[in-house]
Amino acid sequence: MITTSCVIPIIKSPQDYQVFRISPQDSNRLAIIFDSTTANTSLTCCVEIFDVGGQTPPNRHQWAVEMFFILKGEGVAICDGKKVNIKAGDSLLVPPKGIHLIRNTGNSRLYTLTVMIPNEDFSELIRSGIPVELDEEDMAVLGGLNSLKIV
């Protein structure tokens, strides 16, 4: 017997994202797209926004795999002492237990789509931070196709 059911997908726009700076001294912000609070699943998906010269603190995850897709800008990724330059269109996969950081080395903001599976309390850490807002520049980047002019 085949049963049919309709699962309603969760759809969000940049205006719906909740944005946080984990610590007052941090030079990056995280805009939560989906997490266990909003999607009933053990993943965290966010846009990470790095100011010029900004970086994440060195960190590691016991079980989680973290993926970064570079949306805009350029930087450097360091994992267990290995350094690689990153730019728009690049993808980076960090395995569990790798001590890593991302640093913006460009002259404009760096934007990454960051996904961590399983969540490993990442979204709870983000949400425990300081709420902030996306500005015009952020909305232009995240609005992407809506901001392109067709000639």
Side-chain angles (χ1 to χ4, degrees):
M1 181 174 152
I2 297 175
T3 59
T4 59
S5 63
C6 178
V7 176
I8 309 270
I10 301 167
I11 299 171
K12 294 175 87 177
S13 297
Q15 296 86 344
D16 303 320
Y17 301 165
Q18 294 177 297
V19 187
F20 299 89
R21 190 178 304 276
I22 294 174
S23 299
Q25 70 276 11
D26 284 351
S27 53
N28 63 319
R29 296 171 284 138
L30 297 110
I32 297 174
I33 302 172
F34 298 113
D35 68 350
S36 55
T37 302
T38 59
N40 193 28
T41 186
S42 184
L43 71 77
T44 300
C45 180
C46 58
V47 173
E48 202 159 352
I49 304 163
F50 299 81
D51 292 333
V52 174
Q55 73 174 43
T56 60
N59 65 94
R60 66 184 282 257
H61 315 289
Q62 189 64 35
W63 304 284
V65 173
E66 191 168 17
M67 189 276 303
F68 299 88
F69 177 79
I70 313 310
L71 298 167
K72 182 178 185 221
E74 59 187 64
V76 64
I78 302 170
C79 185
D80 289 338
K82 296 175 188 84
K83 187 186 283 191
V84 62
N85 292 322
I86 53 176
K87 64 183 180 328
D90 289 344
S91 301
L92 173 70
L93 189 66
V94 177
K97 301 184 181 169
I99 298 172
H100 61 281
L101 67 84
I102 304 288
R103 179 180 307 130
N104 181 353
T105 58
N107 55 12
S108 63
R109 288 183 183 158
L110 170 66
Y111 292 82
T112 70
L113 174 65
T114 303
V115 179
M116 184 181 296
I117 301 174
N119 174 49
E120 200 174 315
D121 295 327
F122 186 40
S123 70
E124 291 81 355
L125 174 66
I126 296 168
R127 289 179 180 281
S128 72
I130 302 153
V132 294
E133 299 290 327
L134 296 173
D135 64 19
E136 249 181 69
E137 181 181 350
D138 301 330
M139 292 304 286
V141 170
L142 299 179
L145 297 176
N146 295 332
S147 64
L148 293 179
K149 293 182 182 177
I150 298 175
V151 180

